[in-house]
Amino acid sequence: MSKREIIFDTETTGLDPRGGDRITELGCVEVIDLIPTGRDLRILINPERDIPAEVTAVTGHTREMLKDEPVFIQIVDQFLEFIEDSTLVAHNAMFDMGFINMELERCARPIIPKSRFIDTAAMARAKFPGSPASLDALCKRFDVSLDSRTKHGALIDSYLLAEVYLELNGGREQSLSFSGAEGGDGKVVYPVRAPRPKSLKSLVTEQERAAHAEFISEMDDPLWQSLGLLKADASAE
């Protein structure tokens, strides 16, 4: 059964959600079986307070820039509908959890339990003891390009983290389940994907079909023709 997770990140006015700092941006990326699906969510938020210059230098956000954006209570339903009941994956997740739950409390909404969060920084420290575990360091370790990142942005960082999270879980090879490692029969089990709802239209032109048929006709008794694998009518589907 496919596993849905949400890779997410927040940008904030500071480091202390209980001391008056607020969220200025939310970025969420949907992944299924560790692979981004293309569904994402980016929301800029009016924090209803000043943004220190040192924070602006990192995020690019200013109070003037965000003054016409919605406040958190106006976007809370959009955020909750996107994440549904999925596991939430973040780098230094307790930081983001603190801000998300603070904002939910302000909206009189139930907080999200700690059990729903996965911290990729903790995963990296466990996997590479003593090595730097920042998102930048992990991108460099896994050869994930940082070219798109001129400022810290919640959605950009979420996409970078999605690539890092895949690598922390074994990379693309992890989608192959070697059951023999657990005492099974040693067969490779490929993940089941839903069938394409509509077949793709063939890109082969009639001229290309005719040229291919002419080329095949010049061959002496090709094996696949004798096995019935080549259609007699080159224009047939």
Side-chain angles (χ1 to χ4, degrees):
M1 187 173 183
S2 295
K3 181 180 180 182
R4 182 181 189 261
E5 296 170 296
I6 300 297
I7 313 291
F8 85 104
D9 185 41
T10 61
E11 299 299 339
T12 66
T13 62
L15 303 177
D16 187 2
R18 300 299 171 185
D21 284 315
R22 305 290 301 276
I23 293 176
T24 58
E25 183 182 359
L26 278 171
C28 302
V29 172
E30 179 187 65
V31 299
I32 293 180
D33 297 334
L34 303 177
I35 304 298
T37 65
R39 285 192 67 209
D40 59 35
L41 177 69
R42 180 188 182 230
I43 309 175
L44 292 173
I45 301 167
N46 179 355
E48 304 178 276
R49 55 151 291 165
D50 291 334
I51 301 176
E54 60 268 25
V55 174
T56 297
V58 175
T59 66
H61 295 163
T62 65
R63 183 170 190 174
E64 178 66 20
M65 168 188 167
L66 299 176
K67 66 182 178 64
D68 295 325
E69 300 296 339
V71 297
F72 192 89
I73 197 170
Q74 294 174 307
I75 61 88
V76 64
D77 288 330
Q78 183 183 8
F79 170 67
L80 293 175
E81 286 170 8
F82 186 87
I83 67 173
E84 299 178 356
D85 60 353
S86 299
T87 297
L88 303 175
V89 181
H91 205 64
N92 295 312
M94 295 305 98
F95 174 87
D96 299 282
M97 183 185 77
F99 273 94
I100 290 292
N101 283 339
M102 175 272 295
E103 297 284 7
L104 291 174
E105 287 178 0
R106 292 172 68 104
C107 299
R109 299 300 183 90
I111 66 171
I112 302 173
K114 183 178 179 180
S115 59
R116 277 185 60 187
F117 290 85
I118 290 178
D119 184 0
T120 50
M123 289 178 65
R125 293 187 193 103
K127 194 176 183 71
F128 309 111
S131 296
S134 69
L135 181 56
D136 281 11
L138 292 172
C139 285
K140 291 174 183 176
R141 173 182 284 274
F142 294 126
D143 198 24
V144 174
S145 174
L146 292 167
D147 290 347
S148 62
R149 194 196 204 199
T150 56
K151 293 281 187 183
H152 282 266
L155 188 60
I156 291 172
D157 283 2
S158 293
Y159 270 107
L160 292 174
L161 185 58
E163 295 189 62
V164 166
Y165 185 53
L166 174 63
E167 295 299 332
L168 287 172
N169 280 279
R172 293 185 180 273
E173 303 83 35
Q174 65 76 41
S175 63
L176 304 180
S177 173
F178 292 92
S179 57
E182 298 180 1
D185 58 10
K187 294 180 179 178
V188 178
V189 180
Y190 293 85
V192 177
R193 302 296 184 196
R196 189 181 295 276
K198 185 178 180 181
S199 298
L200 294 177
K201 182 179 179 181
S202 175
L203 299 179
V204 180
T205 67
E206 289 303 318
Q207 290 83 355
E208 289 170 332
R209 291 181 189 276
H212 178 68
E214 182 179 356
F215 174 75
I216 293 298
S217 68
E218 297 174 357
M219 302 178 69
D220 294 329
D221 193 24
L223 177 62
W224 55 88
Q225 190 171 47
S226 63
L227 293 176
L229 299 179
L230 182 67
K231 293 176 181 168
D233 182 1
S235 66
E237 291 292 342

